[in-house]
Amino acid sequence: MNLEGRLFLEDEVIDINKLKRIKAIEITNHKQLCFRCGNNDGELFFKSPCSNCGSEECLYCRNCIIMGKMTECRELFYLPSEISIAHKKQQYLVWEGQLSHGQQVASDAVHQAVINKKNLLLWAVAGSGKTEMMFKGMEEVLKNGGRLCVASPRVDVCLELFPRLQEVFPAVEMVCLYGDSPDVYNGERFIVATTHQLIRFYEAFDVIFIDEADAFPYAKDPFLEYAVKKAQLKQGCSVFITATPERKWQKECSIGKRNFVKVPARYHRKKLPVPQKIWIGDWKKTLKKRKISTKVLKWIQKKLAEGCPVLLFFPEIKVMLEVATILEFLGFGPLLTVHSADPERKEKVQQMRDGTIKLLCTTTILERGVTFTNVQVGVFGSEGRIFTESALVQIAGRAGRKSDYPGGDVLFFHHGVSRNMGLAIAQIKLMNRLGMQKGLLDGN
Ligand SMILES: [Zn+2]
Ligand SMILES: [Zn+2]
């Protein structure tokens, strides 16, 4: 068993003598810190009788209890990751594809960041082909006998990335780790994992690539930020990849405080569809009368008649179900609804992909990660608070992804324009302008 980079409890390893040790819960000046998860909130520590040390009042961390109880009497063991001379090779990447000009610029920036061990934000619009931009940087880590991790807050992203990466790095032992994954870590030098899994690592990776860096729950969970830092070697770096960095990061970029590279254009060199705002009045009131604005209905009708699939986003499940019922009553079917807790989510998305249904109603759960050819996108009640700037940019990014159908409608059906709607539209327009300036777009 190869132990490098992983954090262990005493009973998880046979011989702890070769390992370094660290206190599981650090207590200084009555302040506690759980080393494993980074929790330092006093209210998340509790005392209980302990079978390990026999104390009646042994402190433990509630924040990471799902991974097994971490008590103050315990220690964690680890072996820092080391460069493997045996793994130093000239070439690892087997890929025949061509990078677009925009991808090439980003790929070089990633490569440089890896060489200089400097954090980088890769700000690339939806549909620009992010994965390929990482290949060269990844190979650089492997060539030097280092370890790397591709992490995403979303399991589906991990599952999609893993086979693609295996294909282009066929000579590398790779493992895919998530909540209930069948694989276990055994010292592999290339890991694809959910950000949560990083909690189990320490001083492990030369470079961590974090895909969809802004996606829930990473952005909102400070513990995961801690986990990323902890899992990375001190002399390593991280590459954050997103189409929609949070405002704070955007600001840091504009004032020169954050190292970043921007890819404002899609791989197919066509402009991003710019959302249009359509006022539909007080739709809540209208819904109470079991009605929907004719502007919405006419648009759906037209698009379906043209043979295009229609993806309709809603601010909440209740509204979605109400609208779906009315649409069905009006003969707009067959249609399906989908939300995060829907056990048939995957099957429904597949039906939309296959074209067996043409109208899919959804919550923000499908704001990213899905591609439907020639899809037309509507956002019902787009002023809703759940539709943040990044959510709206991601939603708009569903349209026009395929080179055969690079256009498509993105309509914001609203009752009053929200600040986020304005910001999202401004960001998309800015990206298109940048794409033109940099010569990454064709014509008009
Ligand atoms: Zn104890
Ligand atoms: Zn903890």
Side-chain angles (χ1 to χ4, degrees), residues 29-79:
N29 303 327
H30 302 291
K31 287 223 162 137
Q32 305 94 345
L33 170 75
C34 171
F35 184 79
R36 181 166 66 179
C37 73
N39 169 35
N40 58 0
D41 177 353
E43 295 192 357
L44 288 172
F45 288 97
F46 287 81
K47 284 174 179 172
S48 72
C50 176
S51 57
N52 186 46
C53 66
S55 158
E56 283 299 306
E57 292 202 315
C58 188
L59 200 71
Y60 71 96
C61 173
R62 273 294 277 278
N63 191 53
C64 59
I65 194 143
I66 192 159
M67 305 169 89
K69 205 172 191 175
M70 192 54 75
T71 52
E72 63 174 319
C73 58
R74 288 201 177 226
E75 283 177 312
L76 288 160
F77 299 86
Y78 72 99
L79 197 62

Side-chain angles (χ1 to χ4, degrees), residues 110-328:
V110 171
H111 191 207
Q112 274 308 313
V114 169
I115 291 171
N116 300 333
K117 307 211 186 307
K118 205 171 167 199
N119 286 353
L120 175 75
L121 166 64
L122 173 50
W123 184 351
V125 297
S128 57
K130 297 176 289 182
T131 313
E132 295 86 345
M133 302 175 200
M134 300 188 275
F135 288 169
K136 202 154 173 235
M138 290 172 166
E139 188 184 37
E140 182 68 30
V141 181
L142 297 169
K143 271 187 187 170
N144 293 308
R147 257 199 183 82
L148 72 99
C149 174
V150 183
S152 168
R154 294 168 56 116
V155 185
D156 26 342
V157 173
C158 293
L159 291 173
E160 199 187 293
L161 279 174
F162 188 61
R164 280 189 72 192
L165 293 170
Q166 271 184 315
E167 204 183 306
V168 295
F169 294 107
V172 188
E173 283 189 356
M174 249 184 236
V175 68
C176 189
L177 305 173
Y178 50 92
D180 46 3
S181 60
D183 289 357
V184 285
Y185 173 69
N186 191 19
E188 287 82 357
R189 309 200 77 80
F190 199 136
I191 287 170
V192 179
T194 53
T195 34
H196 252 106
Q197 293 295 315
L198 291 174
I199 290 175
R200 297 176 187 266
F201 289 89
Y202 181 50
E203 299 264 314
F205 306 107
D206 295 77
V207 183
I208 304 179
F209 294 85
I210 299 149
D211 199 16
E212 304 274 9
D214 66 300
F216 182 83
Y218 179 75
K220 289 166 189 109
D221 193 340
F223 300 122
L224 290 177
E225 208 174 322
Y226 172 88
V228 171
K229 260 195 205 135
K230 183 160 73 70
Q232 183 193 299
L233 282 168
K234 290 204 173 67
Q235 69 279 18
C237 70
S238 294
V239 178
F240 300 89
I241 303 133
T242 176
T244 49
E246 52 175 304
R247 276 270 126 194
K248 191 174 146 237
W249 285 30
Q250 292 187 31
K251 253 189 206 135
E252 288 170 6
C253 291
S254 63
I255 57 172
K257 268 192 156 176
R258 185 173 282 276
N259 184 31
F260 75 103
V261 61
K262 217 184 240 182
V263 184
R266 286 184 158 163
Y267 186 75
H268 59 45
R269 299 184 60 87
K270 297 290 183 301
K271 276 187 178 176
L272 299 165
V274 178
Q276 298 168 53
K277 294 170 282 190
I278 313 275
W279 188 80
I280 54 165
D282 191 346
W283 52 267
K284 284 180 188 156
K285 220 166 154 185
T286 322
L287 265 187
K288 275 192 189 134
K289 292 184 219 150
R290 300 187 167 273
K291 280 185 180 153
I292 305 167
S293 160
T294 51
K295 289 179 190 169
V296 181
L297 297 176
K298 277 191 178 151
W299 174 73
I300 300 175
Q301 209 160 31
K302 181 165 170 270
K303 290 298 153 188
L304 291 177
E306 288 169 5
C308 308
V310 173
L311 188 58
L312 258 189
F313 286 87
F314 291 87
E316 44 186 302
I317 298 176
K318 188 171 157 275
V319 175
M320 174 174 79
L321 296 177
E322 280 174 23
V323 171
T325 309
I326 298 170
L327 287 175
E328 270 179 328

Side-chain angles (χ1 to χ4, degrees), residues 338 341-349 351:
V338 66
D342 190 338
E344 289 171 61
R345 190 170 123 199
K346 265 191 194 146
E347 291 76 17
K348 287 175 174 178
V349 169
Q351 284 189 53

